[in-house]
Amino acid sequence: MSLISSSGIAHARLTVTDIERSKAFYEHVFGWPVVIDASDRAGEPGVHDSPEQFYGGTVYRTPSGELFGLRPVAPAGQRFDSAQTGLDHVSFQVEAREDLVTARQRLAAAEISHGEVIDLPDSGLSILSFSDPDGIHLELTAPLA
């Protein structure tokens, strides 16, 4: 028996170096609605450490209802490293493999560096990888069938 019964992920928040640059990227790529935006206060005293002020960040609502946030507290110039303890990547689900092909074309047109669509038959998934402006690894995942 597990210690905790959870129905899934409620939200995820990424630490970013430049909130305006990150907001522009995520809004361009995903276009999710903003539910909280405290980024105009990011540089004010105390906001950087205040969960009540969302650390001066921005929170989006994904189509499936989870929240996805950006927290602007990383030092300028710092880059993400998936080989360190912590986050490896964040994967966002799309409905079909064809959506990955379309996304690849759109990322290319937007000059966003990306990988190829890869089929993973053992898991029943197809994936497409790319990164945000801080180098955080992102992935789109679709059912293979």
Side-chain angles (χ1 to χ4, degrees), residues 14-22 70-80 132-136:
L14 301 179
T15 302
V16 300
T17 58
D18 181 326
I19 188 65
E20 293 306 321
R21 179 183 68 176
S22 293
L70 304 172
R71 181 180 181 195
V73 296
Q78 191 175 64
R79 296 290 292 169
F80 173 75
D132 83 351
D134 286 306
I136 298 171

Side-chain angles (χ1 to χ4, degrees), residues 107-121:
L107 290 169
E111 299 182 357
I112 296 172
S113 181
H114 59 278
E116 299 295 324
V117 174
I118 299 172
D119 295 334
L120 304 170

